[in-house]
Amino acid sequence: MSKFNGKALLPTSFVTNWILPGMLKDPNSWSMVGQQVRKYFYPRNPDKDIPVGQISLRVNEVCNLRCGSCGQWGENGHLRKKLERGGKLQQLDFDVVKRVIFETRRDKPFYYVWGGEPTMWKPLLPFFEELAKHKLRGSVVTNAQDLDPILEDLIDTKALSVLFLSLDGWDSASQNIMRSPANNKLSDNFEKTMAVMEKAKEIKARKKYSFPMVIPITVISNTNYSHLADIHRLVLDKAQLHPFYFGWFITEERAALHEKVFESRFGCKPQNHLGYLKSCFNDVDPKVTAEQIKEIKAMSKGKVCIPQIIPDIGTDAQIKRYYNDHSWHCGYPKCESIYYTAEVSPDGRVTPCRDYQDFTAGNINEKPFYDIWNGEEFKKFRREMKKGLMPVCTRCCGLQGF
């Protein structure tokens, strides 16, 4: 996988085999071009007003699974801690979201919908219907647990461009270890995820749709690092792209350093980063993982589904360094997402960072979107980040441009 202007590019074969043919068949999908142009070509001036390329909506905080790799509901997840303190779980107000869609329609931003678990947000289908009214596009990342009842209706809106599905196991038992149910009862999440992939494929074929692209996401962990090829084998003829993430996590040392740096820059102590203290990556074997990546790339030649390794490392030495040296930014020395992506939390707060949401630039329940996006607080964050990364930034998906 290559880079451009410090940001990761999608695999060339995915673009030529799937994205471009899909856009030629579906003229409305050309709205996504502007977002990509802004992402890769717009100048990075922290003091200037800029268009927004992507709006990331964390629509709710509730989730029906408890995944070890999750910074929200994992072993130290900040929402797990919030619930233990007796806090109330939040969700976005759909009327406010509709206002944001209307306000920002001229920029044609791409919407990235996640949670919590977005299928537990009741307005999910009406949201995509609202996007369709304005000829806008979006994606949803889901564990598929409650997706089946609305899947065909979602696809029929033609506003859903990408369906991200969480797939960490190679069978039911392994998936349930990593993505255990919140109620501690037996879960059939593996079967549901695979069934949704099959159903999406069937709907697209029956209705001759190019979208949504079906993209299972696998987080490499202690449990599955020796079975990555087995997982990829499951989706070779069912999906278009299969990203493997090395996982976003921090160490106690980096957490303590981050608190000092963050407080010196922004005048307050961060909290949410502690959710990324995770043990599920402690025992990943770099050599075995590198061998699995080689096998994945070999088996994918000529197949429908294209693998993607994020960050784009693959040797034994690189993987070992990823887990052991958190000062290494993997070739991404600057945060770029703050110039084209706004992160909206369930309580309406707008933050510049998806993973470490301790800096608030404003709240969409209180202010128009552009007053926040081009406001002084957001610009302050951009100026600070231009000085250099913070200690936790080296293990953040936004650093690579996603």
Side-chain angles (χ1 to χ4, degrees):
M1 186 173 64
S2 56
K3 305 175 191 174
F4 182 80
N5 275 356
K7 295 166 287 297
L9 292 168
L10 289 168
T12 303
S13 53
F14 174 63
V15 175
T16 57
N17 293 355
W18 296 109
I19 297 294
L20 292 180
M23 293 176 70
L24 290 173
K25 287 179 63 177
D26 183 357
N28 288 336
S29 65
W30 282 95
S31 64
M32 295 186 290
V33 173
Q35 186 256 359
Q36 292 299 305
V37 169
R38 289 192 287 269
K39 178 176 179 177
Y40 289 102
F41 294 100
Y42 262 49
R44 305 305 193 221
N45 186 333
D47 293 305
K48 286 197 172 183
D49 289 0
I50 52 176
V52 61
Q54 177 173 301
I55 298 177
S56 177
L57 301 177
R58 188 160 63 95
V59 294
N60 60 4
E61 294 183 326
V62 67
C63 189
N64 44 23
L65 298 185
R66 295 292 181 266
C67 308
S69 62
C70 181
Q72 299 180 60
W73 287 106
E75 60 191 289
N76 291 300
H78 59 86
L79 293 182
R80 181 189 287 265
K81 301 295 183 183
K82 178 181 180 179
L83 202 61
E84 289 173 355
R85 295 192 302 268
K88 181 183 177 181
L89 298 180
Q90 302 287 331
Q91 66 174 354
L92 277 172
D93 184 319
F94 182 47
D95 287 335
V96 175
V97 171
K98 286 195 291 185
R99 172 175 59 77
V100 170
I101 292 172
F102 186 80
E103 287 177 355
T104 61
R105 69 195 186 283
R106 70 172 185 265
D107 283 343
K108 296 188 179 300
F110 189 80
Y111 281 82
Y112 177 91
V113 181
W114 65 305
E117 171 48 42
T119 59
M120 298 177 74
W121 187 55
K122 290 183 178 179
L124 183 62
L125 178 57
F127 167 78
F128 278 95
E129 291 171 340
E130 190 70 18
L131 289 187
K133 290 179 186 177
H134 298 284
K135 297 183 179 179
L136 298 174
R137 295 298 183 110
S139 65
V140 62
V141 56
T142 171
N143 61 36
Q145 193 73 5
D146 296 318
L147 182 59
D148 183 78
I150 62 169
L151 179 60
E152 187 155 1
D153 289 336
L154 275 175
I155 293 174
D156 278 338
T157 67
K158 297 187 178 180
L160 180 63
S161 288
V162 184
L163 175 61
F164 292 106
L165 299 168
S166 301
L167 181 65
D168 286 345
W170 59 98
D171 58 19
S172 293
S174 57
Q175 179 87 344
N176 290 339
I177 289 172
M178 290 170 281
R179 297 191 171 274
S180 58
N183 57 14
N184 292 320
K185 294 180 181 178
L186 290 175
S187 171
D188 60 351
N189 185 250
F190 178 81
E191 286 83 358
K192 286 190 174 184
T193 301
M194 297 306 297
V196 163
M197 269 191 271
E198 288 283 6
K199 186 172 181 178
K201 179 181 177 181
E202 183 276 324
I203 293 168
K204 289 169 60 179
R206 171 165 41 90
K207 299 192 173 186
K208 298 181 180 179
Y209 291 164
S210 297
F211 296 98
M213 298 295 167
V214 176
I215 302 181
I217 297 174
T218 298
V219 179
I220 301 169
S221 70
N222 298 343
T223 305
N224 67 9
Y225 70 85
S226 61
H227 291 273
L228 303 179
D230 293 329
I231 299 172
H232 189 57
R233 196 172 287 110
L234 293 170
V235 303
L236 280 174
D237 63 343
K238 296 178 178 63
Q240 285 74 58
L241 183 70
H242 186 189
F244 290 84
Y245 284 87
F246 278 100
W248 315 121
F249 72 106
I250 59 176
T251 64
E252 294 278 1
E253 179 185 15
R254 296 297 280 187
L257 181 59
H258 176 68
E259 289 166 14
K260 291 180 182 178
V261 172
F262 189 97
E263 193 164 10
S264 69
R265 288 191 180 190
F266 301 112
C268 59
K269 188 175 180 179
Q271 298 292 328
N272 289 348
H273 67 297
L274 297 175
Y276 288 84
L277 290 168
K278 307 171 187 177
S279 62
C280 60
F281 306 118
N282 291 353
D283 299 318
V284 174
D285 186 311
K287 183 177 180 181
V288 173
T289 304
E291 291 169 351
Q292 287 286 302
I293 290 172
K294 286 181 182 179
E295 185 176 349
I296 286 166
K297 291 180 177 179
M299 78 166 69
S300 299
K301 291 179 180 178
K303 300 296 184 181
V304 168
C305 186
I306 297 155
Q308 181 183 26
I309 312 301
I310 302 174
D312 49 339
I313 59 177
T315 67
D316 184 347
Q318 288 173 328
I319 297 169
K320 184 176 182 179
R321 187 179 182 188
Y322 180 88
Y323 291 112
N324 295 335
D325 178 8
H326 279 249
S327 66
W328 184 41
H329 51 59
C330 305
Y332 299 91
K334 298 181 294 182
C335 181
E336 297 285 347
S337 65
I338 54 177
Y339 291 96
Y340 55 83
T341 301
E343 303 290 337
V344 183
S345 294
D347 59 2
R349 290 180 303 112
V350 179
T351 67
C353 181
R354 179 180 304 166
D355 288 340
Y356 308 109
Q357 301 154 344
D358 288 295
F359 183 94
T360 300
N363 194 303
I364 58 170
N365 293 318
E366 302 164 0
K367 291 182 179 181
F369 176 83
Y370 285 107
D371 286 359
I372 302 170
W373 174 247
N374 287 318
E376 178 54 33
E377 288 301 301
F378 219 121
K379 289 177 178 177
K380 174 185 175 182
F381 192 87
R382 293 182 186 122
R383 285 194 294 268
E384 284 295 329
M385 292 306 296
K386 195 170 183 178
K387 298 175 184 177
L389 299 174
M390 288 184 287
V392 297
C393 295
T394 58
R395 296 299 175 266
C396 170
C397 58
L399 188 64
Q400 280 111 60
F402 293 101

